[in-house]
Amino acid sequence: MESCVSLTNLNKWFGSFQVLDSINLSISIGEKVVICGPSGSGKSTLIRCVNALEPFQSGSVNVCGISVEKNGRNATDIQRRVGMVFQQFNLFPHLSVLKNCTLAPCRVLGLSDDEAESKAMHYLERVRIPEQASKYPADLSGGQQQRVAIARALTMEPELMLFDEPTSALDPEVVTEVLDTMVDLAETGMTMICVTHEMGFAKQVADRVVFMDEGKIIEIATPEKFFSEPTHERTKFFLSRVLG
Amino acid sequence: MFDLRFYEIWREQVFVEKLINGIGTSVSLMILGGIIGFIFGLALATARGSKIGLLRIPSAAFIESIRNTPLIVQLFFVCFGLPMIFEYRWPFFASALLALCLNFSAYYAEIIRAGFENVEYGQSEAARALGLGKNDILAYIVLPQALAKVYPSLVSQFVFLFLTTGIISEVGVEDLTWAGRYIADRNFRDFEVFIVLTIAYALLSVIFRGVLTATGQLVFPWNREK
C-alpha cells in the first residue's frame, strides 16, 4: 500500500532532553492511527514534526511524497496538504466561523471568495453546524468550536489529518459530538493520525494503535491485539491506568 | 470680589475667530498626527519585533530616544535644528506636525508591541498549520487581534497626546493654546480665557474619546465584553 507518512530514525531534542528517540513509523494512505501514551512521552511532538510545526535534528520525515527539511524551509508545502486540529481549538476569534474556514483556502490555494465559501459550507454541513457560519467562535460551545476547527482544516482538502488531543479540553458531555464527527471523517477514507486518550475511539476507528513512552515507540498493534494482549509491561501498566 | 467678564472674549470678533481657528488647527493637527503617527508606530512596532537586527536596533533606538526626551525639545529640534543641517524651510504647521508624528509614533509603537506580545502563540501556530505564510499571518491573524487588545490603550494615548499638543504654540503654530494666549495678552482676562480653554479641551477630549470608542466597536465587533 502506498505510504502517506514515513518517519525514519527520527530524533529530536529540546536542549539536552531527547523528546523523540529513533522513531520509525510508516502510515499508508487511508490508514487511521491512534497514538497514545503518558504525558511527556512525545506524542504531540511526533505529530507536530509530521506537519513541520517543529524542526527536528536527525532522521527523515516524508509526508505526502514531500521530504520535510529539518529546518522547516519547505514547511508551508507540507502544511497546505496536512490538516491539524488542536487541543485548544485555536480558532481565530476575530473572524466569523465561515471566515475561519475560508481564509486559508483563499490566501494559500488562491480560491475565489465564492468557491471558498461554498466549500466551507459543505464542510460545515459535514460537521453539522452550517447554521453557525456567521457567528464568532466565542458564541459557540467548546464542542461546536472544535467541530469548526475540523471543518476549517477540511476546507483545505488535506491529504492527511492530524488530531492533537482534540477532546482533552472539552466538557465530558460534548466529547461525543466531536468523536462522532471524527468517526464520520474516518468513514470517508481520510488518512488520520490521532493523539488521544479516548480508548473507545481507538477501538472503533483505529487500524493501528501506537504506544509511546519517553520518546520511543514501545508498541504498535491492531486495536484488538493492543487492548487484549499487549506485549510490553509498560503498555499493560498504562492500559490498566487508562481503562481503570 | 473678583468679577468675571467673559464678554471680554466674545466682544472682539478677532478673538472669536482666533479661538475657532485655534480649535480647527489643534483638531486637524491631532487627526493628521494621530493617523500618520499610528502608521509610523505600526511600522516601528513591527520592526522592533523583527528578527533582523538592521530593523530592530534602529527602531528600538528611535522609540527609546523619543520616549525619554521632552516633546518640547523634540519640537525645537525638528523646527529649528534639522532645518540648519538639511537647509529646508517648512511652514511651522508642517514642522510641528512632523514633530508630533514622530512623538506619537514612538508611544503607539510600544502599545502595539504589547498587543503583539499578547496574541496567543496558538493563533499563529494554527495559521501556520493551515499553510499561511508569514506575511499573511501577520496581516490577517496577529495584527487584527493585537490592535483589538490594545485599542482602549491607543484611545487613551490619543487623548493624552491631544492634551500635550498645546506645546506647539511655542513655535508659533496658531492652535487653541496659542489663541488663548493671544487673547489674554490683549484683554488681560487670563482667568476667563483659560477657563474657556479648559472647557474647550475637555469637550474636545470627550468627543475624541467617544468617536474613537464607537469606531472601535465597529472595527472590532467580536471584541465585546460578554
Side-chain angles (χ1 to χ4, degrees):
Chain A
M1 217 178 187
E2 206 179 339
S3 112
C4 177
V5 177
S6 140
L7 310 174
T8 317
N9 214 5
L10 174 64
N11 288 288
K12 178 175 171 66
W13 286 265
F14 284 129
S16 61
F17 177 70
Q18 186 160 16
V19 261
L20 296 177
D21 188 349
S22 316
I23 300 286
N24 288 290
L25 181 64
S26 180
I27 295 167
S28 316
I29 292 174
E31 197 179 6
K32 287 95 185 111
V33 171
V34 164
I35 303 178
C36 59
S39 62
S41 58
K43 336 178 269 296
S44 292
T45 311
L46 178 65
I47 65 166
R48 291 158 58 84
C49 283
V50 169
N51 74 341
L53 279 183
E54 291 278 0
F56 52 94
Q57 280 81 24
S58 76
S60 80
V61 176
N62 207 293
V63 181
C64 308
I66 303 168
S67 173
V68 181
E69 288 179 36
K70 290 190 188 71
N71 54 20
R73 204 171 301 141
N74 62 347
T76 47
D77 292 342
I78 309 290
Q79 284 153 355
R80 62 195 291 172
R81 291 176 172 81
V82 178
M84 187 163 192
V85 176
F86 298 87
Q87 184 176 358
Q88 299 296 339
F89 329 138
N90 293 349
L91 292 179
F92 306 131
H94 62 301
L95 300 176
S96 69
V97 163
L98 187 62
K99 283 268 177 211
N100 261 276
C101 296
T102 57
L103 179 66
C106 288
R107 300 298 308 170
V108 180
L109 305 178
L111 264 54
S112 72
D113 286 354
D114 286 347
E115 287 172 311
E117 275 176 27
S118 67
K119 205 165 268 189
M121 286 311 295
H122 169 75
Y123 288 106
L124 286 170
E125 274 159 30
R126 172 95 71 88
V127 301
R128 291 187 290 273
I129 33 176
E131 69 282 358
Q132 312 284 3
S134 59
K135 291 193 180 164
Y136 285 105
D139 298 328
L140 308 184
S141 72
Q144 289 174 322
Q145 290 193 43
Q146 194 60 301
R147 285 187 284 147
V148 171
I150 294 172
R152 175 174 74 176
L154 289 175
T155 309
M156 286 294 285
E157 305 200 317
E159 296 168 36
L160 164 69
M161 282 286 285
L162 307 174
F163 293 84
D164 189 1
E165 304 202 26
T167 55
S168 301
L170 294 172
D171 292 336
E173 69 265 34
V174 297
V175 166
T176 3
E177 67 182 62
V178 171
L179 289 178
D180 288 348
T181 310
M182 290 167 63
V183 172
D184 288 350
L185 179 63
E187 283 165 2
T188 67
M190 175 66 77
T191 314
M192 292 164 68
I193 307 178
C194 312
V195 171
T196 182
H197 296 299
E198 297 292 337
M199 292 301 137
F201 175 79
K203 281 179 191 161
Q204 189 184 351
V205 169
D207 296 310
R208 283 187 295 164
V209 180
V210 174
F211 176 72
M212 287 183 72
D213 192 24
E214 294 177 341
K216 296 189 189 71
I217 292 180
I218 305 287
E219 184 158 356
I220 305 181
T222 61
E224 299 77 32
K225 197 155 179 300
F226 182 81
F227 291 108
S228 57
E229 38 187 315
T231 45
H232 288 76
E233 282 308 312
R234 191 69 195 78
T235 318
K236 286 176 192 163
F237 180 72
F238 176 77
L239 286 174
S240 71
R241 286 297 187 82
V242 175
L243 301 173
Chain B
M1 167 78 187
F2 185 82
D3 124 58
L4 292 173
R5 292 197 234 159
F6 283 102
Y7 61 85
E8 297 273 9
I9 301 174
W10 318 129
R11 70 169 187 192
E12 296 269 352
Q13 206 196 334
V14 61
F15 291 173
V16 177
E17 277 170 11
K18 293 284 183 199
L19 270 179
I20 291 169
N21 287 339
I23 288 174
T25 303
S26 287
V27 169
S28 49
L29 257 179
M30 193 58 218
I31 291 172
L32 283 172
I35 292 170
I36 301 170
F38 174 74
I39 295 167
F40 283 3
L42 206 54
L44 279 171
T46 314
R48 194 172 186 175
S50 164
K51 284 186 190 132
I52 306 162
L54 209 60
L55 291 173
R56 188 181 66 246
I57 296 163
S59 58
F62 174 80
I63 291 169
E64 290 312 320
S65 53
I66 292 286
R67 297 203 320 145
N68 293 295
T69 51
L71 173 57
I72 191 155
V73 173
Q74 296 161 16
L75 181 69
F76 287 168
F77 185 72
V78 170
C79 289
F80 308 123
L82 286 183
M84 285 186 69
I85 296 180
F86 297 109
E87 296 183 351
Y88 63 88
R89 261 191 81 78
W90 281 5
F92 284 134
F93 182 88
S95 294
L97 178 61
L98 176 61
L100 288 180
C101 288
L102 295 179
N103 181 269
F104 295 178
S105 66
Y107 287 97
Y108 286 151
E110 281 302 274
I111 294 175
I112 295 167
R113 191 167 71 109
F116 281 146
E117 286 171 3
N118 267 301
V119 176
E120 284 165 41
Y121 181 67
Q123 289 291 308
S124 46
E125 190 163 72
R128 277 167 62 209
L130 285 164
L132 289 164
K134 273 196 185 114
N135 294 337
D136 280 349
I137 294 175
L138 181 64
Y140 293 97
I141 306 299
V142 177
L143 187 60
Q145 294 188 54
L147 290 181
K149 277 181 199 285
V150 296
Y151 191 75
S153 309
L154 287 172
V155 172
S156 292
Q157 190 68 33
F158 183 92
V159 171
F160 175 76
L161 291 172
F162 170 64
L163 300 178
T164 66
T165 58
I167 286 176
I168 58 172
S169 61
E170 292 291 337
V171 294
V173 176
E174 302 187 4
D175 76 331
L176 182 53
T177 303
W178 182 91
R181 296 212 299 209
Y182 175 91
I183 298 164
D185 286 349
R186 281 159 184 79
N187 67 5
F188 308 109
R189 306 307 301 178
D190 290 70
F191 184 83
E192 289 88 336
V193 168
F194 288 106
I195 281 282
V196 169
L197 247 60
T198 303
I199 293 167
Y201 272 114
L203 269 178
L204 289 170
S205 294
V206 169
I207 292 169
F208 271 137
R209 196 180 286 279
V211 169
L212 288 171
T213 304
T215 310
Q217 282 160 359
L218 282 178
V219 179
F220 308 117
W222 77 93
N223 200 26
R224 62 215 179 276
E225 293 295 318
K226 294 211 87 175

